[in-house]
Short mmCIF file of all heavy atoms in Angstrom, two decimals:
data_model
loop_
_atom_site.label_atom_id
_atom_site.label_comp_id
_atom_site.label_asym_id
_atom_site.label_seq_id
_atom_site.Cartn_x
_atom_site.Cartn_y
_atom_site.Cartn_z
N GLN M 150 13.79 -8.78 -0.28
CA GLN M 150 13.95 -10.03 0.45
C GLN M 150 14.29 -11.13 -0.55
O GLN M 150 13.65 -11.24 -1.59
CB GLN M 150 12.64 -10.37 1.18
CG GLN M 150 12.65 -11.69 1.90
CD GLN M 150 11.27 -12.02 2.44
OE1 GLN M 150 10.27 -11.85 1.77
NE2 GLN M 150 11.22 -12.50 3.68
N ASN M 151 15.33 -11.90 -0.25
CA ASN M 151 15.69 -13.03 -1.10
C ASN M 151 15.36 -14.32 -0.37
O ASN M 151 15.66 -14.47 0.81
CB ASN M 151 17.18 -13.01 -1.44
CG ASN M 151 17.53 -11.86 -2.35
OD1 ASN M 151 16.79 -11.54 -3.26
ND2 ASN M 151 18.67 -11.24 -2.11
N THR M 171 7.74 -8.92 5.45
CA THR M 171 8.68 -10.00 5.14
C THR M 171 8.20 -11.35 5.66
O THR M 171 8.45 -12.37 5.04
CB THR M 171 10.09 -9.69 5.68
OG1 THR M 171 10.01 -9.43 7.07
CG2 THR M 171 10.70 -8.49 4.96
N ARG M 173 5.02 -12.42 5.92
CA ARG M 173 3.99 -12.91 5.01
C ARG M 173 4.63 -13.41 3.71
O ARG M 173 4.32 -14.49 3.22
CB ARG M 173 2.99 -11.80 4.68
CG ARG M 173 1.88 -12.26 3.73
CD ARG M 173 1.15 -11.13 3.03
NE ARG M 173 2.06 -10.46 2.11
CZ ARG M 173 2.26 -9.15 2.06
NH1 ARG M 173 1.62 -8.34 2.86
NH2 ARG M 173 3.11 -8.63 1.19
N VAL M 178 6.11 -17.85 0.02
CA VAL M 178 7.13 -18.54 -0.80
C VAL M 178 7.32 -19.96 -0.28
O VAL M 178 7.36 -20.92 -1.05
CB VAL M 178 8.45 -17.74 -0.81
CG1 VAL M 178 9.58 -18.57 -1.41
CG2 VAL M 178 8.28 -16.43 -1.58
N GLY M 187 9.08 -28.88 -3.75
CA GLY M 187 10.35 -28.20 -3.53
C GLY M 187 10.58 -28.03 -2.05
O GLY M 187 9.78 -28.49 -1.23
N ALA M 190 15.68 -23.45 1.39
CA ALA M 190 17.07 -23.71 1.79
C ALA M 190 17.52 -22.63 2.77
O ALA M 190 16.91 -21.56 2.86
CB ALA M 190 17.96 -23.70 0.54
N THR M 192 19.89 -19.63 4.13
CA THR M 192 20.48 -18.48 3.46
C THR M 192 21.91 -18.81 3.02
O THR M 192 22.72 -19.30 3.80
CB THR M 192 20.49 -17.26 4.40
OG1 THR M 192 19.14 -16.99 4.77
CG2 THR M 192 21.09 -16.05 3.72
N PHE M 199 24.94 -18.59 -7.86
CA PHE M 199 24.55 -17.54 -8.78
C PHE M 199 25.47 -16.33 -8.63
O PHE M 199 25.97 -16.06 -7.55
CB PHE M 199 23.11 -17.08 -8.50
CG PHE M 199 22.07 -18.12 -8.82
CD1 PHE M 199 21.80 -19.15 -7.93
CD2 PHE M 199 21.35 -18.06 -10.00
CE1 PHE M 199 20.84 -20.11 -8.22
CE2 PHE M 199 20.38 -19.01 -10.29
CZ PHE M 199 20.13 -20.03 -9.40
N PHE M 205 21.21 -8.01 -21.00
CA PHE M 205 20.48 -7.28 -22.02
C PHE M 205 20.06 -8.25 -23.12
O PHE M 205 20.81 -9.15 -23.47
CB PHE M 205 21.36 -6.20 -22.66
CG PHE M 205 21.84 -5.15 -21.70
CD1 PHE M 205 22.97 -5.36 -20.93
CD2 PHE M 205 21.15 -3.96 -21.56
CE1 PHE M 205 23.41 -4.40 -20.03
CE2 PHE M 205 21.58 -2.99 -20.66
CZ PHE M 205 22.72 -3.21 -19.89
N ASN M 211 19.02 -4.68 -34.99
CA ASN M 211 20.22 -4.35 -34.21
C ASN M 211 20.87 -5.57 -33.57
O ASN M 211 21.93 -5.47 -32.97
CB ASN M 211 19.90 -3.31 -33.14
CG ASN M 211 19.58 -1.97 -33.74
OD1 ASN M 211 20.26 -1.52 -34.66
ND2 ASN M 211 18.54 -1.33 -33.24
N ALA M 224 31.93 -0.67 -23.81
CA ALA M 224 31.11 -0.28 -22.66
C ALA M 224 31.29 -1.24 -21.47
O ALA M 224 30.66 -1.06 -20.45
CB ALA M 224 29.65 -0.20 -23.06
N GLY M 225 32.12 -2.27 -21.62
CA GLY M 225 32.41 -3.15 -20.50
C GLY M 225 31.65 -4.46 -20.50
O GLY M 225 31.60 -5.14 -19.47
N GLY M 226 31.08 -4.84 -21.63
CA GLY M 226 30.39 -6.12 -21.71
C GLY M 226 31.37 -7.27 -21.66
O GLY M 226 32.50 -7.16 -22.12
N ASN M 227 30.95 -8.40 -21.10
CA ASN M 227 31.79 -9.59 -20.99
C ASN M 227 31.50 -10.63 -22.06
O ASN M 227 32.37 -11.40 -22.44
CB ASN M 227 31.60 -10.28 -19.63
CG ASN M 227 32.02 -9.42 -18.48
OD1 ASN M 227 32.81 -8.51 -18.63
ND2 ASN M 227 31.47 -9.70 -17.32
N GLU M 230 26.25 -13.02 -27.33
CA GLU M 230 25.83 -14.19 -28.08
C GLU M 230 24.69 -13.78 -28.99
O GLU M 230 23.71 -13.18 -28.53
CB GLU M 230 25.35 -15.30 -27.14
CG GLU M 230 26.42 -15.79 -26.18
CD GLU M 230 25.85 -16.68 -25.07
OE1 GLU M 230 24.70 -17.16 -25.21
OE2 GLU M 230 26.56 -16.87 -24.08
N GLU M 237 22.13 -11.56 -26.93
CA GLU M 237 22.13 -11.60 -25.46
C GLU M 237 23.49 -11.09 -25.00
O GLU M 237 24.52 -11.58 -25.45
CB GLU M 237 21.87 -13.03 -25.00
CG GLU M 237 21.69 -13.15 -23.51
CD GLU M 237 21.22 -14.55 -23.10
OE1 GLU M 237 21.56 -15.54 -23.78
OE2 GLU M 237 20.54 -14.63 -22.08
N GLU M 243 28.41 -3.48 -12.38
CA GLU M 243 28.89 -2.09 -12.33
C GLU M 243 28.99 -1.46 -13.72
O GLU M 243 29.11 -0.24 -13.85
CB GLU M 243 30.22 -1.97 -11.58
CG GLU M 243 31.34 -2.80 -12.14
CD GLU M 243 31.45 -4.20 -11.53
OE1 GLU M 243 30.50 -4.65 -10.85
OE2 GLU M 243 32.49 -4.82 -11.74
N ALA M 268 22.97 -18.14 -13.12
CA ALA M 268 23.50 -19.40 -12.59
C ALA M 268 24.91 -19.63 -13.10
O ALA M 268 25.19 -19.46 -14.29
CB ALA M 268 22.59 -20.55 -13.00
N THR M 270 26.43 -22.54 -13.07
CA THR M 270 26.31 -23.77 -13.85
C THR M 270 24.83 -24.11 -13.93
O THR M 270 24.05 -23.74 -13.05
CB THR M 270 27.06 -24.96 -13.20
OG1 THR M 270 26.53 -25.18 -11.89
CG2 THR M 270 28.55 -24.72 -13.12
N ILE M 279 9.95 -34.33 -14.15
CA ILE M 279 10.71 -33.35 -13.34
C ILE M 279 10.59 -31.97 -13.99
O ILE M 279 10.39 -30.96 -13.30
CB ILE M 279 12.18 -33.77 -13.19
CG1 ILE M 279 12.30 -35.11 -12.45
CG2 ILE M 279 13.00 -32.68 -12.50
CD1 ILE M 279 11.89 -35.08 -11.01
N ALA M 280 10.72 -31.90 -15.30
CA ALA M 280 10.62 -30.62 -16.02
C ALA M 280 9.27 -29.96 -15.73
O ALA M 280 9.20 -28.76 -15.44
CB ALA M 280 10.81 -30.84 -17.52
N MET M 298 11.31 -11.44 -9.13
CA MET M 298 12.05 -12.25 -10.08
C MET M 298 12.34 -13.62 -9.50
O MET M 298 12.60 -13.75 -8.31
CB MET M 298 13.37 -11.55 -10.43
CG MET M 298 14.19 -12.26 -11.49
SD MET M 298 15.65 -11.31 -11.97
CE MET M 298 14.89 -9.87 -12.70
N ALA M 306 16.08 -29.81 -22.08
CA ALA M 306 16.39 -30.23 -23.44
C ALA M 306 15.20 -29.89 -24.34
O ALA M 306 14.04 -30.03 -23.94
CB ALA M 306 16.67 -31.73 -23.48
N ASP M 307 15.49 -29.42 -25.57
CA ASP M 307 14.44 -28.97 -26.49
C ASP M 307 13.34 -30.01 -26.69
O ASP M 307 12.15 -29.68 -26.66
CB ASP M 307 15.03 -28.60 -27.86
CG ASP M 307 15.83 -27.32 -27.80
OD1 ASP M 307 15.66 -26.54 -26.84
OD2 ASP M 307 16.64 -27.09 -28.73
N ILE M 309 12.37 -32.35 -24.71
CA ILE M 309 11.58 -32.48 -23.48
C ILE M 309 10.66 -31.26 -23.34
O ILE M 309 9.49 -31.40 -22.99
CB ILE M 309 12.49 -32.62 -22.23
CG1 ILE M 309 13.41 -33.84 -22.36
CG2 ILE M 309 11.67 -32.68 -20.96
CD1 ILE M 309 12.71 -35.16 -22.52
N VAL M 313 6.63 -31.37 -23.07
CA VAL M 313 5.89 -30.78 -21.95
C VAL M 313 4.90 -29.74 -22.47
O VAL M 313 3.75 -29.70 -22.02
CB VAL M 313 6.88 -30.15 -20.93
CG1 VAL M 313 6.13 -29.32 -19.90
CG2 VAL M 313 7.69 -31.25 -20.24
N GLU M 316 1.68 -31.18 -23.89
CA GLU M 316 0.76 -31.75 -22.90
C GLU M 316 -0.13 -30.70 -22.25
O GLU M 316 -1.11 -31.04 -21.61
CB GLU M 316 1.55 -32.50 -21.83
CG GLU M 316 2.28 -33.72 -22.39
CD GLU M 316 3.28 -34.30 -21.40
OE1 GLU M 316 3.41 -33.77 -20.28
OE2 GLU M 316 3.95 -35.27 -21.77
#
Side-chain angles (χ1 to χ4, degrees):
Q150 176 187 44
N151 291 321
T171 55
R173 180 199 67 231
V178 169
T192 301
F199 292 80
F205 299 85
N211 291 317
N227 296 338
E230 299 168 16
E237 186 171 31
E243 57 269 15
T270 59
I279 297 293
M298 184 175 295
D307 289 342
I309 301 301
V313 169
E316 295 168 1

